[in-house]
mmCIF file of all heavy atoms in Angstrom:
data_model
loop_
_atom_site.group_PDB
_atom_site.id
_atom_site.type_symbol
_atom_site.label_atom_id
_atom_site.label_comp_id
_atom_site.label_asym_id
_atom_site.label_seq_id
_atom_site.Cartn_x
_atom_site.Cartn_y
_atom_site.Cartn_z
ATOM 1 N N ALA A 45 8.680 4.973 12.201
ATOM 2 C CA ALA A 45 9.649 5.953 11.604
ATOM 3 C C ALA A 45 9.353 7.395 12.079
ATOM 4 O O ALA A 45 9.558 8.325 11.323
ATOM 5 C CB ALA A 45 9.659 5.903 10.079
ATOM 6 N N VAL A 64 6.852 13.333 -0.076
ATOM 7 C CA VAL A 64 7.205 11.969 0.482
ATOM 8 C C VAL A 64 6.377 10.908 -0.222
ATOM 9 O O VAL A 64 5.127 11.006 -0.230
ATOM 10 C CB VAL A 64 7.063 11.882 1.999
ATOM 11 C CG1 VAL A 64 7.407 10.476 2.488
ATOM 12 C CG2 VAL A 64 7.935 12.931 2.716
ATOM 13 N N HIS A 76 7.282 -2.903 -5.558
ATOM 14 C CA HIS A 76 8.269 -2.086 -6.141
ATOM 15 C C HIS A 76 7.787 -1.493 -7.505
ATOM 16 O O HIS A 76 8.106 -0.329 -7.757
ATOM 17 C CB HIS A 76 9.596 -2.797 -6.304
ATOM 18 C CG HIS A 76 10.367 -3.055 -5.045
ATOM 19 N ND1 HIS A 76 9.922 -4.004 -4.087
ATOM 20 C CD2 HIS A 76 11.489 -2.476 -4.565
ATOM 21 C CE1 HIS A 76 10.808 -3.969 -3.061
ATOM 22 N NE2 HIS A 76 11.756 -3.088 -3.352
ATOM 23 N N ARG A 78 4.693 -0.803 -8.278
ATOM 24 C CA ARG A 78 3.774 0.271 -7.995
ATOM 25 C C ARG A 78 4.450 1.547 -7.437
ATOM 26 O O ARG A 78 4.078 2.645 -7.867
ATOM 27 C CB ARG A 78 2.768 -0.198 -6.903
ATOM 28 C CG ARG A 78 1.862 -1.260 -7.369
ATOM 29 C CD ARG A 78 0.718 -1.439 -6.264
ATOM 30 N NE ARG A 78 -0.128 -2.590 -6.635
ATOM 31 C CZ ARG A 78 -0.073 -3.793 -5.943
ATOM 32 N NH1 ARG A 78 0.804 -3.927 -4.982
ATOM 33 N NH2 ARG A 78 -0.873 -4.752 -6.266
ATOM 34 N N TRP A 80 7.443 2.451 -8.325
ATOM 35 C CA TRP A 80 8.109 3.004 -9.541
ATOM 36 C C TRP A 80 7.122 3.859 -10.298
ATOM 37 O O TRP A 80 7.418 4.976 -10.729
ATOM 38 C CB TRP A 80 8.733 1.941 -10.404
ATOM 39 C CG TRP A 80 9.214 2.414 -11.706
ATOM 40 C CD1 TRP A 80 10.322 3.180 -11.989
ATOM 41 C CD2 TRP A 80 8.513 2.208 -12.942
ATOM 42 N NE1 TRP A 80 10.384 3.465 -13.361
ATOM 43 C CE2 TRP A 80 9.299 2.877 -13.961
ATOM 44 C CE3 TRP A 80 7.350 1.509 -13.355
ATOM 45 C CZ2 TRP A 80 8.945 2.845 -15.284
ATOM 46 C CZ3 TRP A 80 7.043 1.510 -14.679
ATOM 47 C CH2 TRP A 80 7.802 2.179 -15.629
ATOM 48 N N GLY A 100 17.803 1.101 1.823
ATOM 49 C CA GLY A 100 18.363 0.594 0.583
ATOM 50 C C GLY A 100 17.299 0.095 -0.411
ATOM 51 O O GLY A 100 17.532 0.224 -1.671
ATOM 52 N N HIS A 119 20.170 2.885 6.889
ATOM 53 C CA HIS A 119 19.761 2.991 8.274
ATOM 54 C C HIS A 119 20.260 1.816 9.153
ATOM 55 O O HIS A 119 20.305 1.914 10.394
ATOM 56 C CB HIS A 119 18.300 3.121 8.479
ATOM 57 C CG HIS A 119 17.800 4.520 7.951
ATOM 58 N ND1 HIS A 119 17.665 5.524 8.874
ATOM 59 C CD2 HIS A 119 17.464 4.938 6.746
ATOM 60 C CE1 HIS A 119 17.240 6.643 8.175
ATOM 61 N NE2 HIS A 119 17.098 6.288 6.925
ATOM 62 N N GLY A 176 18.837 12.976 13.792
ATOM 63 C CA GLY A 176 18.864 13.882 15.026
ATOM 64 C C GLY A 176 17.789 13.557 16.041
ATOM 65 O O GLY A 176 17.101 12.485 15.934
ATOM 66 N N LEU A 241 3.136 3.150 21.460
ATOM 67 C CA LEU A 241 2.769 4.435 21.994
ATOM 68 C C LEU A 241 2.780 5.549 20.926
ATOM 69 O O LEU A 241 3.401 5.363 19.852
ATOM 70 C CB LEU A 241 3.705 4.863 23.060
ATOM 71 C CG LEU A 241 3.838 3.942 24.336
ATOM 72 C CD1 LEU A 241 4.947 4.411 25.248
ATOM 73 C CD2 LEU A 241 2.477 3.825 25.008
ATOM 74 N N PRO A 266 20.825 3.832 16.715
ATOM 75 C CA PRO A 266 19.433 3.729 17.282
ATOM 76 C C PRO A 266 18.948 5.075 17.889
ATOM 77 O O PRO A 266 19.569 5.638 18.724
ATOM 78 C CB PRO A 266 19.634 2.696 18.400
ATOM 79 C CG PRO A 266 21.159 2.552 18.595
ATOM 80 C CD PRO A 266 21.771 2.937 17.321
ATOM 81 N N GLY A 285 25.606 -0.891 16.388
ATOM 82 C CA GLY A 285 25.618 0.388 15.723
ATOM 83 C C GLY A 285 26.711 1.266 16.265
ATOM 84 O O GLY A 285 27.842 0.864 16.456
ATOM 85 N N GLY A 323 23.905 12.342 29.999
ATOM 86 C CA GLY A 323 23.843 12.117 28.527
ATOM 87 C C GLY A 323 23.412 13.253 27.683
ATOM 88 O O GLY A 323 23.732 13.345 26.494
ATOM 89 N N LEU A 334 20.556 21.066 13.390
ATOM 90 C CA LEU A 334 21.935 20.910 12.973
ATOM 91 C C LEU A 334 22.152 19.727 12.051
ATOM 92 O O LEU A 334 22.941 19.807 11.079
ATOM 93 C CB LEU A 334 22.772 20.719 14.269
ATOM 94 C CG LEU A 334 22.732 21.836 15.282
ATOM 95 C CD1 LEU A 334 23.630 21.542 16.517
ATOM 96 C CD2 LEU A 334 23.207 23.200 14.628
#
Side-chain angles (χ1 to χ4, degrees):
V64 178
H76 284 73
R78 293 193 187 102
W80 170 73
H119 289 268
L241 300 177
L334 299 179

